[in-house]
Amino acid sequence: MNHDHYDNAYISGILQSVKTIAVVGASANDVRPSYFVMKYLLGKGYRIIPVNPGQAGKEILGQMTFARLADISEPIDMVDVFRASDAVPGIVEEALKLEPLPKVIWMQLTVRHDAAAARAEAAGLNVVMNRCPKIEYARLSGEIGWSGVNSGVISSRKPVRREGYQSFGLRVPPRDGD
């Protein structure tokens, strides 16, 4: 897959199919990007599981924090990586040991590791690199346009109200098979 450009339907399909997201590198500091991404996604109805060894056993945004992915007892749909690129291979290997496997490895803005992405894709996982699910959700739902940002998505379709705070849901339908 070309990880320099993602089709809107690919991103939309992922965001519509996942329900439980493990955020590796979650922070309890409310000015850190991982914190406000978790808060936003919680508001959209996603189940968020923070992963941070230094915060294990404590709550972040009311969600119990785990030291590692293997400590989580429920199935994970997506692993959202808020760590440096050189940490990604270890996180992917840990994710590939989970039963059942997650559907998606998502690497945050500035995070990219092509070899780890290829390893995850070979195991059947979808991969997104150098993107933020908060930004992508807002862009594809039209919310980002509320602040005057051009989302690049033009639609005359009436938004369908979904669960969550001020959420109109994603406007881009997933591709067939997603």
Side-chain angles (χ1 to χ4, degrees), residues 21-27 32-39 41 48-52 78-85 87-88 91 105-111 131-135:
I21 303 172
V23 179
V24 178
S27 177
R32 300 288 300 184
S34 64
Y35 186 91
F36 54 82
V37 166
M38 289 187 297
K39 185 174 182 175
L41 294 174
I48 301 298
I49 304 172
V51 178
N52 180 329
M78 183 169 100
V79 176
D80 186 8
V81 181
F82 269 99
R83 297 281 316 279
S85 296
V88 172
I91 295 166
I105 300 291
W106 189 299
M107 298 174 221
Q108 278 292 335
L109 294 171
T110 74
V111 182
R131 296 287 178 100
C132 175
K134 175 190 179 297
I135 293 170

Side-chain angles (χ1 to χ4, degrees), residues 149-168:
V149 176
N150 181 358
S151 68
V153 177
I154 298 172
S155 176
S156 61
R157 291 180 21 197
K158 181 178 179 183
V160 177
R161 190 84 166 124
R162 292 176 34 142
E163 290 184 34
Y165 179 72
Q166 291 187 356
S167 177
F168 289 110

